[in-house]
Amino acid sequence: KGQPAGGLDLLFDTLMVRAMDEPDAMYGLLASSAEIADDRNSVVFTLRPEARFHDGTPVTAADVVFSFETLKEKAHPIIRLPLRDIVKAEALDAGHVRFSFATQETRDLPMLVAELPIFSKAYYTAHDFTATTVTPPLGSGPYTVKNVKLGRAITYARNADYWGWKLPVNRGRFNFA
């Protein structure tokens, strides 16, 4: 509902991030690896055990499944429409999640799911995902919300406790305090 603040994506990590100098290349962020099935009908992501939300809780496969299901059901149609060919997400265990696809025709489906923001299932069990709010959400990314002036400004601050600062994929990124 409404217009989200610019930059909110800085609060949420994704399973993988694109390499800006290589088309179709992605590198692990929350996920340390991705394995596409031989028939190309599914992909399994292995999560990094050190990945954490801002409150210190680990990012688990249940969070990934929850994020996918929430976005597929409740997100803006611009986000929901590309997810139509992803049949399901399932937690294989706390550190592995599999996405199953309806077709092999769309070769970008593994990349699409790899770029979805991952939300805390525990947080959104206590907070309605669809409710309009000015309370900053719980994320796992390199920034947190420092200050909000409703309708005027939002200020982000680097999260000194961000779990992913030392990952090679983050080298040279998120340098503004």
Side-chain angles (χ1 to χ4, degrees):
K1 296 178 184 178
Q3 185 69 29
L8 278 180
D9 57 323
L10 296 169
L11 303 181
F12 302 101
D13 277 334
T14 57
L15 294 170
M16 303 181 89
V17 294
R18 287 190 183 270
M20 297 309 210
D21 59 348
E22 300 174 74
D24 296 338
M26 296 188 87
Y27 296 98
L29 186 55
L30 288 172
S32 60
S33 66
E35 187 174 334
I36 298 174
D38 291 339
D39 64 4
R40 299 191 49 80
N41 282 335
S42 66
V43 61
V44 175
F45 292 96
T46 301
L47 300 179
R48 294 182 191 276
E50 67 270 25
R52 298 275 184 265
F53 288 104
H54 295 156
D55 67 355
T57 58
V59 177
T60 66
D63 295 310
V64 177
V65 171
F66 169 80
S67 300
F68 167 73
E69 290 173 349
T70 300
L71 290 170
K72 189 167 183 175
E73 180 183 327
K74 299 177 181 179
H76 190 281
I78 289 174
I79 296 171
R80 286 195 328 248
L81 187 62
L83 301 179
R84 70 186 178 279
D85 289 328
I86 303 163
V87 176
K88 68 177 176 176
E90 58 188 316
L92 304 177
D93 58 35
H96 296 85
V97 63
R98 177 185 0 221
F99 288 90
S100 299
F101 310 127
T103 178
Q104 298 173 5
E105 307 294 317
T106 310
R107 62 172 244 193
D108 290 344
L109 289 177
M111 296 174 76
L112 177 66
V113 296
E115 290 185 304
L116 294 176
I118 304 303
F119 310 120
S120 168
K121 180 179 179 180
Y123 177 83
Y124 282 106
T125 298
H127 299 83
D128 182 1
F129 180 82
T130 62
T132 301
T133 180
V134 293
T135 303
L138 176 66
S140 61
Y143 286 88
T144 60
V145 174
K146 181 177 180 180
N147 188 24
V148 175
K149 293 180 184 173
L150 277 181
R152 296 183 58 211
I154 184 166
T155 304
Y156 297 99
R158 281 178 46 154
N159 179 4
D161 296 326
Y162 176 51
W163 70 273
W165 283 129
K166 295 186 182 192
L167 293 178
V169 72
N170 282 333
R171 186 168 294 138
R173 299 175 69 205
F174 313 119
N175 296 324
F176 293 96

